[in-house]
Amino acid sequence: MTALSVAAALGGTLVGVIGFAMSYSTLAKVALSWGFSPDLAPWFPVGVDASIIAFLALDLYLIRKDTGWPLLRVAAHAMTGATIWFNASSQGAIGEDPVKAASHGVMPVLFVIGVEAARKLFIKKAKLEAGTHTDRIPLHRWILAPLATPKFYRRMRLNRVTSYPEMIKRQKELTAYEQWLRRKYKGDLSRATEDERLPMTMAAHGYTVTEALAMPEQQEREAELRAEEAERRRLEANTRRTVAQKRAEAEQLEADGDLEAVRAKVEGRTAEARAHARAQVSAAERAAELEEQALETAVLAEARARTAEADRKEAEEREAQAAADVRAAELEAQAAQKRRESEEADRVAAAETHAIETAKIAEARHRTAEADRAAAEMEKEAAETRKAAAEADRQRERELADTEAARADRQRASQAAVEAETRTAEARLRAAEIEQRAVEIEDAAKLSPRERAVRKVARLAVAAGLVTVGLGPNEIHPALCRVISIADVQRELAVSSTDTASKYRQEAAELLASGYRPE
C-alpha cells in the first residue's frame, strides 16, 4: 500500500505538471492570435489552469470542514472543459484533424481524472474519520432479492446504520428471534405479549432485538427516575418553604429581641434620669435647708449683736452717770471709790461679754461659709449629674440610630436573599421549561436513548455556563469538562460506568461543535 501510494502520488503529480506545462505552452502562443497583448498572453493559461486547481482544492477543503459546496466542483469541471476545448482547438478546427486535437486535449482530461480519484479517496477518508461513511449494498443483493432489498435499504438509511455487515447482523437476529417466538407459541404470534412483539414492532425504528426487549424495563426505570426527581423537587420546595418560614420567624424573634433591648435601655436610662432628677431635687432641698439655717443663724447673730450694742450703750450711760456721780460726790471719796470699783467691775464684765459675743459671731460666720461651700459642692454635683444625663441621652440617640441602621441592613439583606432566591427559582423554572421542550422535541424526532442522553449532557453544560461562541471544535471539549464533571454526568443520567459517562461527555462536546444549541 505504501508503494502504491507513492507511485500514485508521483504519477499524478507528474501528469499534472506535464499537462499544466503543455497547456501553458499551447495557450500562451494561441492567446496572441486571439487578440491578447504580449504582456497578458502568458497569464491567460495561468488563469485558466490555476482556477481549476484553486476550485478543486477549495472544494476538498470545504469537504474536510464538512461544509461542501457543489458549485465549486461544477466550476472546476467547467474550467476543465474550457481548457480542453482551448487546447484542442488551438491548432485549428477540431474536425479537420481529430487526432491532433485529441493529443492537445488529452492531458487536461488525465489531470482532472487524477484529481477526481484523489477527491474520492479524500472524501472517503474524511467520512471514515468522522464516522459518517456508509457502506453500499452490494449489487448482487439487489439482483437476488429485488423485493426485500428496498426495505432493507430503507431501514439502513433511515436508522443511520452505516455498516452493511451490522445491518445483516440485525436482520439475522430479528429473523432468529421471530422464529423462536413462533416455536414458543406454535406458529401463532398473536398469542405473544406486546413486550415480546416489540423487536418486530421497533425494528423499523432502528432498534435491535436486545434494545427492543430492554425497552420496557428501561422505560419503567426512567419513569421511576422521573418520579424520584419529581419527589426530590417537591421535597426541595418544601424544604425551601420551611427554611423561609424559619428564617422569617428567626428575623421576627430577632426584631422582638432588639425591641426589648431598646425598651430595656430606654427604661434604664429613664430610671437613671429620674434618679438624677431626684438627686438634683434632694441637693436643691438640702441647699435650701442649709441656706435657711444660715439665714436663721445670721438673724440670731444680728439679734445678739443688737443686744450687745444695747448693753454697751447702757454701760456707757452708766459710766457717764458714774462720772456724774463722781463729780457730784467728790466729797464722798469713799463712796466714789466704791462706785469706781463697781464701775470698773462692770466694764470688765461688759468687755468679757463683748468678747464672748464676738466669738459667737465669728463661729456663726464660719458655719455660714461652710454651708455656702457645701451648697456650691452640691450645685457642682448637680451640674455633673446634668452633664452625665445629657451624655447618656446622646449615647442613647446614637445607639437608637445604630439600631435603626442595623435593622435597615437586615431588611436589605433579607430582601436581597429573597430576590436571589426568586432569581434562582426563575432560573430553575426556565431550565425546566427548556428541558421539557427538549424532551418534546426528542420525542417528536424519535431519538435513541443514547442520543437523548448526549443532548441532555449538552443542555447541562450550557445551563452550567458553557459558552461556545468563539471556541474552536477542539476547544469545546476542555471547556465542557471544566463545567461538567463525570460525576455530574453519572448522577444526572443514572449511569454507574465512568467510561460511559466520559463517552457521553465527549459526544456532547462534538454535538455542540456541530452547531447544536438547546432552545
Side-chain angles (χ1 to χ4, degrees):
M1 290 301 297
T2 303
L4 289 175
S5 301
V6 172
L10 292 177
T13 304
L14 182 61
V15 170
V17 170
I18 294 172
F20 183 80
M22 292 178 64
S23 176
Y24 178 83
S25 177
T26 301
L27 295 182
K29 293 177 182 179
V30 79
L32 293 172
S33 63
W34 287 346
F36 287 91
S37 66
D39 294 333
L40 295 179
W43 294 102
F44 174 69
V46 175
V48 174
D49 294 339
S51 64
I52 299 172
I53 298 174
F55 290 157
L56 291 175
L58 187 57
D59 180 48
L60 294 177
Y61 178 79
L62 292 180
I63 290 173
R64 185 65 180 84
K65 293 297 183 180
D66 198 19
T67 55
W69 191 27
L71 183 60
L72 290 173
R73 190 181 179 194
V74 173
H77 288 174
M79 293 305 297
T80 301
T83 191
I84 292 172
W85 177 262
F86 293 155
N87 280 275
S89 62
S90 63
Q91 303 302 319
I94 297 176
E96 293 178 358
D97 193 351
V99 176
K100 179 188 277 188
S103 65
H104 283 276
V106 69
M107 293 307 295
V109 174
L110 296 178
F111 174 72
V112 172
I113 291 174
V115 172
E116 284 295 325
R119 180 181 182 277
K120 185 175 182 180
L121 179 62
F122 188 81
I123 291 174
K124 185 170 184 179
K125 182 180 180 182
K127 288 183 177 180
L128 288 173
E129 291 177 354
T132 59
H133 175 69
T134 303
D135 293 342
R136 294 182 178 274
I137 298 177
L139 180 61
H140 66 269
R141 183 179 181 90
W142 291 96
I143 298 173
L144 298 178
L147 298 179
T149 302
K151 296 181 180 178
F152 184 88
Y153 176 81
R154 182 176 181 276
R155 286 175 53 197
M156 186 173 176
R157 289 296 181 266
L158 290 179
N159 300 319
R160 296 182 181 179
V161 180
T162 59
S163 175
Y164 175 71
E166 173 66 21
M167 195 63 197
I168 292 292
K169 179 182 177 183
R170 292 189 180 191
Q171 186 67 29
K172 288 180 178 180
E173 289 179 353
L174 181 62
T175 303
Y177 178 78
E178 186 176 357
Q179 293 301 320
W180 172 80
L181 205 60
R182 289 181 184 277
R183 290 197 310 272
K184 180 178 179 181
Y185 292 104
K186 302 184 184 309
D188 188 5
L189 292 180
S190 61
R191 295 169 55 192
T193 63
E194 291 291 336
D195 290 348
E196 289 178 334
R197 289 198 299 270
L198 274 177
M200 283 80 77
T201 304
M202 303 304 295
H205 301 286
Y207 284 82
T208 64
V209 174
T210 304
E211 290 174 348
L213 292 176
M215 185 183 299
E217 182 181 355
Q218 182 180 1
Q219 290 175 343
E220 291 176 1
R221 185 167 61 252
E222 291 176 353
E224 292 175 356
L225 291 176
R226 287 193 295 271
E228 291 176 359
E229 180 66 18
E231 180 66 17
R232 183 182 65 80
R233 292 178 180 174
R234 187 185 66 79
L235 292 176
E236 287 182 354
N238 291 337
T239 302
R240 288 194 299 271
R241 186 163 50 252
T242 303
V243 169
Q245 292 175 354
K246 296 297 183 183
R247 186 182 293 114
E249 293 176 359
E251 291 178 354
Q252 183 64 36
L253 292 175
E254 185 178 359
D256 293 342
D258 293 341
L259 180 61
E260 292 296 331
V262 172
R263 185 176 295 156
K265 289 182 180 179
V266 172
E267 291 178 353
R269 288 170 182 167
T270 303
E272 183 179 358
R274 289 175 180 172
H276 285 302
R278 286 196 296 271
Q280 291 176 358
V281 172
S282 298
E285 292 177 352
R286 179 62 179 168
E289 184 179 355
L290 291 175
E291 185 178 359
E292 185 178 0
Q293 290 178 358
L295 182 61
E296 290 178 355
T297 303
V299 171
L300 181 60
E302 185 178 359
R304 288 178 180 176
R306 286 196 298 270
T307 302
E309 183 67 19
D311 291 343
R312 185 181 62 78
K313 289 180 178 180
E314 185 179 357
E316 289 178 354
E317 289 177 358
R318 283 196 301 272
E319 185 178 356
Q321 185 66 34
D325 290 341
V326 170
R327 285 192 303 271
E330 290 178 354
L331 299 174
E332 296 177 359
Q334 187 177 3
Q337 183 67 30
K338 289 182 180 179
R339 283 196 296 272
R340 283 193 297 272
E341 291 178 355
S342 176
E343 289 173 358
E344 185 67 24
D346 291 336
R347 283 195 299 273
V348 171
E352 291 178 354
T353 301
H354 180 70
I356 291 172
E357 292 297 328
T358 302
K360 290 181 178 179
I361 290 171
E363 185 177 357
R365 289 177 178 172
H366 179 70
R367 286 197 298 271
T368 302
E370 289 290 335
D372 292 337
R373 186 166 57 254
E377 290 177 355
M378 289 183 180
E379 183 65 21
K380 183 178 180 181
E381 291 178 356
E384 291 178 353
T385 302
R386 288 194 296 273
K387 182 179 180 181
E391 184 65 24
D393 292 337
R394 286 194 297 272
Q395 182 65 24
R396 182 171 63 256
E397 290 176 356
R398 285 195 297 269
E399 291 178 353
L400 288 175
D402 293 341
T403 303
E404 291 296 330
R407 182 179 293 107
D409 291 339
R410 285 194 299 272
Q411 290 177 353
R412 286 194 296 271
S414 177
Q415 184 177 2
V418 171
E419 292 176 353
E421 188 168 356
T422 302
R423 287 194 298 272
T424 303
E426 291 175 352
R428 290 178 178 172
L429 179 59
R430 288 195 298 271
E433 292 175 351
I434 292 173
E435 184 68 20
Q436 181 64 29
R437 288 198 301 272
V439 170
E440 292 174 356
I441 292 171
E442 291 172 357
D443 291 338
K446 297 181 180 180
L447 300 179
S448 65
R450 186 178 188 87
E451 291 174 333
R452 292 170 183 263
V454 170
R455 279 165 171 75
K456 186 172 184 180
V457 174
R459 291 194 296 273
L460 291 174
V462 173
L466 175 62
V467 178
T468 59
V469 178
L471 298 180
N474 297 328
E475 297 173 343
I476 293 179
H477 183 258
L480 186 144
C481 293
R482 284 194 293 270
V483 299
I484 296 294
S485 64
I486 291 180
D488 294 336
V489 177
Q490 290 179 305
R491 182 179 63 257
E492 293 294 333
L493 299 182
V495 295
S496 58
S497 174
T498 57
D499 182 65
T500 302
S502 177
K503 290 181 179 178
Y504 282 161
R505 194 169 60 176
Q506 175 68 32
E507 293 176 7
E510 295 174 355
L511 183 64
L512 291 172
S514 66
Y516 172 77
R517 296 293 180 271
E519 297 179 354

